[in-house]
Amino acid sequence: EENGHQNKRLKTDADEEHVEDQNKKLPKRKIVLLMAYSGKGYHGMQRNVGSSQFKTIEDDLVSALVQSGCIPENHGEDMKKMSFQRCARTDKGVSAAGQIVSLKVRLIDDILEKINNHLPSHIRILGLKRVTGGFNSKNKCDARTYSYMLPTFAFAHKDHDVQEEVYRLDKETLEKVNKLLACYKGTHNFHNFTSQKGPRDPSAKRYIMEMYCGEPFVRENIEFAVIKVKGQSFMMHQIRKMIGLVIAIVKGYAAESIIERSWGEEKVDVPKAPGLGLVLERVHFEKYNRRFGNDGLHEPLEWTEEEEKIAVFKEQYIYPTIINTEREEKSMANWLSTLSIHDFNSSAVEMQANNKNSKNSSDLEGSDGCDDDSD
């Protein structure tokens, strides 16, 4: 019996070695992976090689790629060897429903299943497509769409509305929110919506294609709404500050004219909404699709067949995380209580003096998505 058990074990080891040898013979191909993940508990998407202190989504992904046999172990240690590139570099705690990474892998059998077997359930690879050899998911991306899910009491007026979870958003307030969000459309100088960029830095100019807030809905007795924003690219904290400023106006802390003022050279105090509700929804490759999508060799980077899987993942992992964390940690309610501290009328000189006195360490979190200047 012991001999039989030993033979069986030797056979299994031999099988595994045979599979590994077969994998090594497979040519490497450039692909993209469609990823969804819940970002809670992670220090963002981007891996910091050599720093195990802060766990990132890419740490788990690279480990799964090595264990499944898609990439050799040394490629995991030096990601340049597999031409790895993420489309968007999400911040600490931020989730994604449609992140895209490009890399070279061995196209092993049942590749998606094998990678997912080595990933935690809150990180999934939902799709795979072959792409051109020179494809880079960050450089070839034309636009990104983010959503931001927030409890609607964030829009309750500070002086004459209920501030708690019983608040319900009325039609007039939603219209006002959407009128303000629409002001962001077009190209503007967003230097006031990020840190470390001056008013004359050309890279502070960003193009926003659309921004709006959808109809509210109730989950676990709290009313929520989702803001969608589509732009070419976003800088560190930009989306959270765009939303933070609109909340400050709707609540009655700041005048509507502050948005227009923020495009100018003057330094404006723009509050940054919590990171919890921010989700990378999808990334767009229109130019690539026009050129290569129908060339007979490559598929367009559209994910219609995966839409259902994306929706299921959001319902299972992303929305419950946002709702439960909001209920337990009250991140929005706590942040709202800090709005009164902001000085929305201060001059540039006063602001600079205040900034020197209070350098906020939380500004070093990373980027809301794809700060193409600092990746």
Side-chain angles (χ1 to χ4, degrees):
E1 198 175 317
E2 250 178 49
N3 282 349
H5 188 68
Q6 199 173 357
N7 287 344
K8 199 173 176 184
R9 197 168 65 227
L10 288 169
K11 196 176 174 199
T12 308
D13 291 347
D15 286 348
E16 279 177 12
E17 275 175 33
H18 176 67
V19 168
E20 181 58 28
D21 287 344
Q22 290 298 104
N23 285 351
K24 281 177 184 168
K25 285 175 192 163
L26 288 170
K28 292 192 186 70
R29 295 285 180 255
K30 182 63 92 60
I31 59 151
V32 294
L33 296 175
L34 172 70
M35 284 185 81
Y37 51 84
S38 169
K40 191 183 179 188
Y42 287 89
H43 212 81
M45 170 75 183
Q46 188 174 359
R47 193 173 184 217
N48 306 305
V49 179
S51 166
S52 55
Q53 190 186 351
F54 301 116
K55 195 178 186 192
T56 69
I57 300 291
E58 282 175 18
D59 286 327
D60 281 356
L61 174 63
V62 170
S63 169
L65 291 170
V66 171
Q67 288 179 71
S68 61
C70 296
I71 61 167
E73 202 158 330
N74 65 340
H75 285 208
E77 287 147 27
D78 181 0
M79 292 164 77
K80 285 195 186 85
K81 285 183 175 165
M82 56 169 157
S83 309
F84 186 92
Q85 189 56 261
R86 74 211 55 83
C87 187
R89 192 180 55 181
T90 51
D91 256 359
K92 178 183 171 187
V94 175
S95 298
Q99 170 75 283
I100 297 285
V101 298
S102 55
L103 67 157
K104 283 182 177 171
V105 296
R106 301 166 178 147
L107 283 174
I108 59 173
D109 292 336
D110 307 317
I111 183 168
L112 291 193
E113 192 186 331
K114 282 175 181 163
I115 299 170
N116 282 325
N117 284 344
H118 294 286
L119 282 170
S121 57
H122 55 266
I123 303 177
R124 292 288 92 180
I125 306 298
L126 301 178
L128 176 153
K129 288 185 195 285
R130 287 277 303 275
V131 284
T132 56
F135 184 86
N136 175 312
S137 61
K138 182 167 160 270
N139 299 347
K140 296 287 182 209
C141 181
D142 311 304
R144 289 92 176 159
T145 296
Y146 280 83
S147 68
Y148 188 85
M149 184 172 165
L150 76 173
T152 58
F153 62 74
F155 297 125
H157 195 282
K158 67 181 172 72
D159 298 330
H160 46 73
D161 283 334
V162 175
Q163 300 297 305
E164 291 82 44
E165 295 168 5
V166 289
Y167 175 83
R168 296 295 178 259
L169 187 64
D170 59 56
K171 194 164 170 273
E172 290 74 23
T173 309
L174 181 58
E175 279 172 9
K176 184 178 182 180
V177 169
N178 274 318
K179 191 182 111 199
L180 291 166
L181 292 173
C183 296
Y184 289 122
K185 288 202 282 192
T187 302
H188 300 285
N189 186 338
F190 282 98
H191 75 97
N192 273 308
F193 295 80
T194 187
S195 53
Q196 299 141 356
K197 280 208 196 294
R200 295 182 184 182
D201 188 333
S203 68
K205 282 202 166 72
R206 299 287 158 138
Y207 174 50
I208 306 297
M209 296 154 187
E210 61 179 11
M211 193 165 187
Y212 63 91
C213 181
E215 290 293 324
F217 53 92
V218 176
R219 292 283 174 95
E220 303 199 19
N221 300 325
I222 307 177
E223 187 180 68
F224 286 88
V226 174
I227 292 170
K228 285 262 176 85
V229 54
K230 181 182 180 183
Q232 248 175 357
S233 61
F234 300 95
M235 297 177 290
M236 178 165 73
H237 304 147
Q238 184 186 336
I239 297 171
R240 290 162 61 188
K241 282 185 172 252
M242 289 162 79
I243 291 165
L245 194 58
V246 167
I247 291 171
I249 296 166
V250 176
K251 285 195 89 68
Y253 288 104
E256 285 188 32
S257 58
I258 194 170
I259 294 184
E260 201 70 33
R261 217 173 89 218
S262 72
W263 311 140
E265 292 203 359
E266 168 189 6
K267 187 86 178 120
V268 175
D269 188 2
V270 178
K272 180 177 71 185
L276 175 66
L278 193 60
V279 179
L280 174 63
E281 287 286 335
R282 60 173 302 186
V283 287
H284 308 266
F285 297 96
E286 279 106 358
K287 282 196 200 103
Y288 173 87
N289 287 345
R290 278 199 297 274
R291 187 164 174 202
F292 298 106
N294 298 304
D295 66 357
L297 296 169
H298 305 96
E299 300 171 81
L301 295 181
E302 296 287 349
W303 305 95
T304 33
E305 286 173 31
E306 286 76 15
E307 290 292 345
E308 199 175 317
K309 284 193 271 186
I310 293 169
V312 168
F313 185 89
K314 286 201 283 195
E315 289 295 337
Q316 273 185 327
Y317 294 99
I318 296 178
Y319 295 153
T321 300
I322 294 171
I323 294 161
N324 296 336
T325 307
E326 186 56 58
R327 286 182 73 93
E328 289 160 23
E329 298 174 17
K330 304 212 174 297
S331 59
M332 182 55 77
N334 292 337
W335 174 78
L336 291 170
S337 68
T338 68
L339 281 178
S340 58
I341 302 163
H342 288 268
D343 186 353
F344 296 105
N345 302 307
S346 61
S347 71
V349 179
E350 287 167 349
M351 276 288 297
Q352 277 161 0
N354 292 342
N355 280 353
K356 274 179 190 162
N357 293 338
S358 61
K359 256 296 173 207
N360 191 340
S361 63
S362 70
D363 278 352
L364 303 171
E365 282 172 19
S367 124
D368 262 342
C370 45
D371 184 348
D372 41 16
D373 312 302
S374 65
D375 206 356

